[in-house]
Amino acid sequence: MPELPEVETVRRGLTELVAGSRIKTVDVLYPKMINLSSSDFAHALQNQTIDGIDRRGKYLFIRIGNGLTIVSHLRMEGKYDVEPEGVPLSKHTHIVFHLADGRQLRYNDTRKFGRMNLVTTGQEMTVAGLKTIGPEPTEETLTLDYMRRIFGKSRKLIKPFLLDQSNIAGLGNIYADEVLWLSKIHPKQPVNTLSVTELKELRQNIIEEIKRAIAGHGTTVHSYSTAYGEAGSFQNNLNVYGREGQPCLRCGTPIEKIKLAQRGTHFCPTCQVIHGDRHG
DNA sequence: TTCGATGTTAACGC
DNA sequence: AGCGTTAACATCGA
């Protein structure tokens, strides 16, 4: 469930907490989580410095002093925690970085869906998912020209289209529902039927919603109450996600929840109506 | 006890 | 090629 704003919040937290710290040793408790053998992974990282942390879409790039980068994807429930030595490991701690100052950087993941790939810095695109990743949802990188190009040539339904990271990086189930509600677009609208006016508004809503969510330190839902090192606040700003049966904040109609491409999808049946082809 | 829900990606089939 | 569907990952709670 961590989407771009949550991953960015983690990036900033990790930067404050561990950038500049030296890794003494590494324990891999769940080897399936990484791309190398446990011993290769641990040996490559021991006695190296964490230079800093970058991000691309929902991927973290943990920069290591010796020209290596850990590409880390949290998937559904991955979390990083920093604890002093001696605090008992959680049942779901899978990787422990012992830092030279006595603290431990721990990767916790209830479902074990997260992955870490240790690669040569600059070779991040060799990791599955980064080969085809789309532009970041920012003013500079998500241009209207690009939107018109990719939306114009696909008949896919817009909700699954927005979740496809090769179209735009970083949107997940929560923010996809939110930007469609903000843009008054039905989740089943085929993308090549949207007008340029609708694309402009959708683009602006995507860029601004992501910005607002980052400013609010991301959304904290369900099991994520203590996640990300700090609890996010953006759940208080959600307009449709998780509001099934509650009145639409624009028109009062009860919000509906349907299943679309296997994903829970929330929308207002009055504000968000499927329309015919307005393309061109 | 079994099964569905959950997000993402790989694999599969048309 | 490009589309849509399904399985796999693992755990938890109904």
Side-chain angles (χ1 to χ4, degrees):
Chain A
M1 300 246 263
E3 305 179 31
L4 192 156
E6 292 75 39
V7 177
E8 176 61 17
T9 302
V10 173
R11 189 193 70 76
R12 293 178 183 185
L14 284 180
T15 301
E16 274 184 38
L17 287 167
V18 300
S21 298
R22 191 165 59 84
I23 298 167
K24 208 168 50 181
T25 58
V26 179
D27 293 334
V28 179
L29 307 173
Y30 183 71
K32 286 176 74 175
M33 188 145 281
I34 58 177
N35 65 325
L36 304 176
S37 72
S38 300
S39 58
D40 285 354
F41 186 83
H43 284 136
L45 294 172
Q46 71 182 2
N47 295 315
Q48 301 297 330
T49 300
I50 299 172
D51 282 344
I53 298 101
D54 296 320
R55 180 192 57 74
R56 178 78 169 89
K58 304 178 193 175
Y59 293 81
L60 291 168
F61 294 165
I62 303 173
R63 305 300 190 185
I64 307 301
N66 57 356
L68 296 176
T69 291
I70 302 171
V71 178
S72 170
H73 196 299
L74 307 173
R75 292 287 191 97
M76 289 176 70
E77 302 203 15
K79 303 170 185 65
Y80 284 97
D81 289 306
V82 177
E83 301 280 4
E85 245 171 72
V87 175
L89 295 186
S90 132
K91 180 178 161 188
H92 303 296
T93 300
H94 306 306
I95 315 255
V96 181
F97 300 87
H98 299 265
L99 304 181
D101 60 18
R103 295 176 304 156
Q104 298 177 351
L105 173 64
R106 299 175 179 179
Y107 180 72
N108 299 309
D109 191 336
T110 312
R111 294 253 165 80
K112 300 182 177 171
F113 282 4
R115 289 291 174 266
M116 282 186 209
N117 287 72
L118 185 60
V119 302
T120 302
T121 298
Q123 297 300 305
E124 297 82 15
M125 70 291 296
T126 61
V127 173
L130 282 168
K131 289 172 189 166
T132 56
I133 196 164
E136 294 284 306
T138 70
E139 193 69 48
E140 302 75 37
T141 48
L142 182 62
T143 64
L144 183 62
D145 272 358
Y146 172 79
M147 297 260 298
R148 292 182 68 171
R149 188 148 38 84
I150 62 164
F151 282 67
K153 70 178 189 195
S154 170
R155 277 173 292 186
K156 281 189 187 168
L157 310 185
I158 189 159
K159 169 76 186 280
F161 190 84
L162 290 179
L163 292 178
D164 185 340
Q165 304 295 298
S166 68
N167 294 137
I168 301 171
L171 295 177
N173 209 31
I174 297 175
Y175 297 116
D177 282 3
E178 292 297 316
V179 299
L180 289 177
W181 182 87
L182 289 169
S183 307
K184 301 182 190 172
I185 297 171
H186 191 286
K188 285 187 173 177
Q189 187 74 37
V191 297
N192 65 342
T193 62
L194 293 169
S195 68
V196 177
T197 308
E198 287 176 308
L199 283 185
K200 271 187 193 165
E201 191 174 344
L202 175 63
R203 171 176 176 273
Q204 217 52 44
N205 283 327
I206 291 171
I207 292 167
E208 284 168 14
E209 180 74 354
I210 292 291
K211 224 185 276 178
R212 284 192 296 265
I214 291 173
H217 305 298
T219 299
T220 303
V221 289
H222 308 305
S223 54
Y224 298 94
S225 52
T226 63
Y228 313 130
E230 51 192 306
S233 66
F234 201 71
Q235 59 276 13
N236 305 317
N237 300 350
L238 298 181
N239 292 298
V240 275
Y241 186 85
R243 296 194 67 249
E244 179 185 14
Q246 295 173 50
C248 170
L249 297 172
R250 255 189 320 242
C251 76
T253 305
I255 296 299
E256 285 185 13
K257 181 176 182 180
I258 60 172
K259 198 99 185 172
L260 186 47
Q262 336 270 56
R263 316 300 300 283
T265 297
H266 311 73
F267 71 103
C268 169
T270 300
C271 295
Q272 298 168 261
V273 174
I274 299 188
H275 61 69
D277 193 350
R278 293 180 190 158
H279 183 61

